[in-house]
Amino acid sequence: MTQPIPYLQKGDTIGITCPAGAVSMDTMQPMIEQLETWGFNVHIGTTVGTSYFKFSACDQERLNDFQSMLDDTNIKAILFGRGGYGMVRIIDLLDFSKFAKHPKWLLGYSDITCLHNHVHTHFALPTIHAHMSGAYHAHSQDLFSTQTIFDTLSGNALFLQIPSNTHNRVGEASGIVVGGNLALLSDLCGTNSDIDTSGKILVIEDIGEYKYNIDRMLWQLKKVPNWII
């Protein structure tokens, strides 16, 4: 049986690894400094600042780096360097047995959607959909979204206000929040990392897709038995 995930305290260690695409150390530095400013220790993985074709490293090296952080009980949260492509190549090779006994916060989006859904389906544990180390720029990144990372890790209450849209429907809803990147949600249909959306609040993110492609993926999800959208 899985245990509740503890919130972080100053002095706790956050690991940074790149299980998918590559990102330079210079690009990561602003987020590393921000984490240290918040009072956290930072453990830099072996896949940070390296490159191997489209990936940060070969499959085995990315697997080993991520696995070591999942197993290390001194690491209380794992913040991913970037998305891109690659998590699906290693997700079924990961051993979550120690993670299930000593869970920790996992933070990322885009390609990390594969991991979020896998953990939700198999362990019913919360993960954090958040921007990653490689997406943080001290002078241009939305400061609010960065602050929510600290607040979430620290257990502070979050209050989100989102501009309305003419297509909004007035009402109230409650439920577990699931979802992530639309392309990944579509790709994961029918796999062991797929999710059941019944009675849950579905959040979808994606950029850079043609409108017809978004429409096609949404219709695909509507046709999947365990999806309700």
Side-chain angles (χ1 to χ4, degrees):
M1 181 177 179
T2 55
Q3 302 294 319
I5 304 179
Y7 293 112
L8 272 62
Q9 306 290 329
K10 287 187 177 181
D12 283 341
T13 298
I14 296 177
I16 298 181
T17 183
C18 297
V23 61
S24 70
M25 183 62 77
D26 288 343
T27 302
M28 304 284 277
Q29 198 59 41
M31 191 64 199
I32 293 171
E33 293 174 0
Q34 179 64 75
L35 296 173
E36 292 174 339
T37 298
W38 285 336
F40 300 123
N41 296 318
V42 180
H43 174 80
I44 306 298
T46 60
T47 56
V48 177
T50 60
S51 179
Y52 180 80
F53 296 98
K54 282 186 65 68
F55 312 107
S56 64
C58 70
D59 289 353
Q60 191 63 52
E61 291 175 358
R62 300 196 321 278
L63 173 67
N64 292 345
D65 195 30
F66 185 19
Q67 185 70 64
S68 68
M69 293 192 187
L70 281 178
D71 294 344
D72 189 342
T73 56
N74 291 319
I75 294 178
K76 305 302 181 182
I78 301 174
L79 177 60
F80 299 103
R82 63 158 294 184
Y85 169 65
M87 178 61 75
V88 71
R89 295 173 62 97
I90 65 173
I91 190 69
D92 292 324
L93 300 175
L94 289 164
D95 181 353
F96 289 95
S97 56
K98 290 185 178 179
F99 170 78
K101 294 179 180 178
H102 304 283
K104 60 194 69 180
W105 296 107
L106 306 173
L107 302 90
Y109 75 113
S110 187
D111 190 61
I112 308 303
T113 296
C114 177
L115 176 65
H116 289 320
N117 288 8
H118 192 87
V119 170
H120 171 74
T121 295
H122 292 277
F123 305 104
L125 282 166
T127 55
I128 302 174
H129 186 278
H131 76 70
M132 294 173 280
S133 302
Y136 179 71
H137 304 283
H139 302 294
S140 61
Q141 175 66 41
D142 180 353
L143 296 179
F144 175 76
S145 65
T146 301
Q147 183 62 38
T148 60
I149 292 177
F150 174 80
D151 289 336
T152 304
L153 289 175
S154 303
N156 301 331
L158 297 179
F159 298 94
L160 306 178
Q161 289 185 324
I162 301 173
S164 61
N165 185 280
T166 55
H167 298 290
N168 290 152
R169 298 181 183 180
V170 178
E172 296 182 357
S174 61
I176 296 173
V177 177
V178 296
N181 179 265
L182 177 57
L184 267 293
L185 295 176
S186 176
D187 289 344
L188 294 173
C189 283
T191 72
N192 65 339
S193 300
D194 198 2
I195 55 175
D196 186 338
T197 63
S198 303
K200 299 168 186 174
I201 298 172
L202 177 63
V203 173
I204 292 174
E205 56 95 350
D206 213 327
I207 59 173
E209 292 285 356
Y210 290 110
K211 291 180 180 178
Y212 81 86
N213 204 24
I214 292 175
D215 187 63
R216 182 186 66 195
M217 289 186 285
L218 289 173
W219 275 105
Q220 177 184 350
L221 296 182
K222 286 177 67 71
K223 292 170 68 63
V224 178
N226 57 306
W227 277 80
I228 298 176
I229 63 173

